[in-house]
Amino acid sequence: MAQLILYGTPISTYVRTVRLLLEEIGTEYELEGTNFLKGETQSAAYLAKNPFGKVPALAVDEAVIYETIAITSYLDTVFANGRFSPTAPLLKARMQQIIGIIDSYLYPKAIGAVVIRPVGK
Ligand SMILES: N[C@@H](CCC(=O)N[C@@H](CS)C(=O)NCC(=O)O)C(=O)O
C-alpha cells in the first residue's frame, strides 16, 4: 500500500475536497500541516513539492501530485476503482465542466466573501 501524505491546512477548501474523498475512500493518510496563511507554502522545501506554492499537494511514496483535480482523479482511479466519477463520456465532461466553472469563476469570487469573510462584514 502506498504511503499518502497530504500537505495543507484544514481551512483550505481545496484541501477539504481531497480530505473528503480520502475519508469516503477510507484509505489511510497523514495530514502534514502546511498553512498558507502563515507563509508555509513559500518555504523552499514546500516549493520543491509544488512550485506554485499552493495547497494541497499529495505525496505518494516518492512522487508528489499537485492541483486538486489531478489529486482527486488519481485517488479515485487508484484507490476507488473510479467509483466517484462517471464513465459515460458526456457525464464525465459535465463533471469536469462543473469543476472548471468552480475553479475559474466561483472560487476566486467566493473565497474572500463567503469562506474567509472580510473583517466587519
Ligand atoms: N489550482 C489549485 C488551487 C489551490 C489553492 O488555491 N489553494 C489555496 C488555499 S485554498 C492556496 O494554497 N493559497 C495560497 C496562496 O495563494 O498563496 C488546486 O486546484 O489545487
Side-chain angles (χ1 to χ4, degrees), residues 24-36:
E24 283 294 323
I25 290 171
T27 191
E28 282 189 24
Y29 70 98
E30 189 184 319
L31 180 65
E32 176 77 36
T34 310
N35 192 341
F36 60 94

Side-chain angles (χ1 to χ4, degrees), residues 12-14 36 42 53-56 67-68 107:
S12 159
T13 53
Y14 283 106
F36 60 94
Q42 296 305 315
K54 305 272 187 190
V55 288
E67 288 301 308
T68 302
Y107 176 83

Side-chain angles (χ1 to χ4, degrees), residues 85-98:
S85 306
T87 48
L90 191 54
L91 291 179
K92 197 168 186 154
R94 289 284 182 239
M95 181 186 80
Q96 287 166 347
Q97 178 182 310
I98 291 167

Side-chain angles (χ1 to χ4, degrees), residues 11-117:
I11 197 173
S12 159
T13 53
Y14 283 106
V15 171
R16 205 172 305 155
T17 298
V18 175
R19 294 183 77 199
L20 282 169
L21 182 57
L22 284 162
E23 295 296 331
E24 283 294 323
I25 290 171
T27 191
E28 282 189 24
Y29 70 98
E30 189 184 319
L31 180 65
E32 176 77 36
T34 310
N35 192 341
F36 60 94
L37 297 172
K38 293 182 179 165
E40 292 171 1
T41 48
Q42 296 305 315
S43 71
Y46 189 75
L47 290 171
K49 295 179 183 18
N50 180 350
F52 295 98
K54 305 272 187 190
V55 288
L58 180 75
V60 183
D61 294 329
E62 301 308 311
V64 180
I65 308 169
Y66 53 84
E67 288 301 308
T68 302
I69 186 70
I71 295 170
T72 52
S73 171
Y74 173 85
L75 290 172
D76 185 28
T77 303
V78 173
F79 292 92
N81 207 20
R83 75 184 157 98
F84 292 96
S85 306
T87 48
L90 191 54
L91 291 179
K92 197 168 186 154
R94 289 284 182 239
M95 181 186 80
Q96 287 166 347
Q97 178 182 310
I98 291 167
I99 292 171
I101 289 168
I102 291 170
D103 277 346
S104 299
Y105 313 130
L106 176 66
Y107 176 83
K109 299 246 188 250
I111 191 68
V114 179
V115 182
I116 301 171
R117 301 193 54 169

